[in-house]
Amino acid sequence: MIRVVIVDDEALVRSGFTLILNATPDIRVVASASGVDALEVIKAEKPDVLLLDIRMPQVDGLTLLNVLTAMPDRPAIAMLTTFDADEYVLTALNAGASGFLLKDTEPDQLAQYVRALAAGGVVLAPRASRRLLDTQPGRLAVDAEAERVATLTGREQQVLALVAQGLSNAEIGGRLYLGAGTVKDHVSAILAKLGVAGRVQAALAAQRAGLLDAHDGAERDDTV
């Protein structure tokens, strides 16, 4: 059972997410809280996954994230936002969040995202992440990332695309018929070649370089 805590200052969001997730057989929302009580609730419940509002009036989500990332055995954390291009999202991802979701995420997708987070995957809301990256300045930096992605082998690019889709190492191995150790080696090589510290930053690099669009197109071609 995947244990989830939801932290949001809006009661309607908390109750809605709780109803959706508790309707699945393998996920249970063990607690929900506003920002004020969040830290105590998280420490008491020790969830596998935390869905954390990035903007709260009394206790800011980024502040809470920074406290949690310093704790041992912290949960996988996905930030919740209302805005497609929330400028705080990249700050949160760089601070240690495992991804972000829009609050209007479709119910069937929400459970899938929680499972991906629990398995160690990365979750980036596709529509929002593309719009977010499009609003960020720095075309030269994006071009440099694209060049680094281009240095990856074909297999490494396949692995990176699946990392960016939120798949865990075990799921990637199943998709590509590779052993867990082989996938781990590929991921380590990808991080080193891209010069990034973790899966979230690698996923963002893949998005900026257009790798997901390229692989989506390849998959569509294969099905024709």
Side-chain angles (χ1 to χ4, degrees):
M1 186 70 68
I2 301 171
R3 295 166 52 84
V4 179
V5 167
I6 301 168
V7 175
D8 196 288
D9 65 312
E10 299 180 38
L12 186 60
V13 172
R14 297 196 304 269
S15 61
F17 275 31
T18 298
L19 285 172
I20 292 168
L21 293 174
N22 281 348
T24 63
D26 58 333
I27 301 172
R28 188 65 58 235
V29 177
V30 295
S32 63
S34 63
V36 175
D37 305 318
L39 191 57
E40 289 73 15
V41 169
I42 295 164
K43 287 180 177 179
E45 297 295 342
K46 297 181 172 60
D48 303 302
V49 174
L50 171 65
L51 303 181
L52 175 61
D53 189 4
I54 201 168
R55 295 172 181 261
M56 293 183 289
Q58 293 176 300
V59 178
D60 181 68
L62 290 176
T63 300
L64 188 56
L65 173 66
N66 288 328
V67 173
L68 292 171
T69 52
M71 293 170 52
D73 301 322
R74 67 178 180 86
I77 303 170
M79 310 304 292
L80 299 175
T81 179
T82 305
F83 309 105
D84 282 0
D86 192 327
E87 67 271 19
Y88 291 149
V89 166
L90 288 179
T91 301
L93 295 176
N94 289 327
S98 296
F100 74 101
L101 303 174
L102 292 177
K103 294 185 183 182
D104 63 355
T105 295
E106 293 293 330
D108 59 332
Q109 290 182 319
L110 181 61
Q112 294 175 15
Y113 288 151
V114 167
R115 294 186 187 104
L117 289 163
V122 173
V123 170
L124 303 174
R127 170 170 57 88
S129 59
R130 286 191 176 93
R131 185 168 300 182
L132 175 71
L133 294 174
D134 286 345
T135 64
Q136 301 303 310
R139 181 71 253 170
L140 291 178
V142 173
D143 289 343
E145 275 187 334
E147 289 179 2
R148 286 195 291 271
V149 169
T151 67
L152 303 179
T153 66
R155 178 63 83 185
E156 287 169 347
Q157 290 189 19
Q158 287 180 314
V159 171
L160 176 57
L162 294 177
V163 166
Q165 292 173 31
L167 274 66
S168 65
N169 285 356
E171 291 169 327
I172 294 171
R175 184 76 65 87
L176 299 179
Y177 304 103
L178 299 173
T182 302
V183 174
K184 184 177 180 181
D185 290 342
H186 280 312
V187 172
S188 296
I190 290 166
L191 299 183
K193 289 182 179 180
L194 297 182
V196 296
R199 297 169 79 94
V200 171
Q201 286 73 31
L204 289 172
Q207 293 246 10
R208 291 191 182 99
L211 185 63
L212 298 190
D213 293 334
H215 277 261
D216 286 345
E219 290 178 1
R220 284 194 293 270
D221 291 342
D222 290 342
T223 62
V224 174

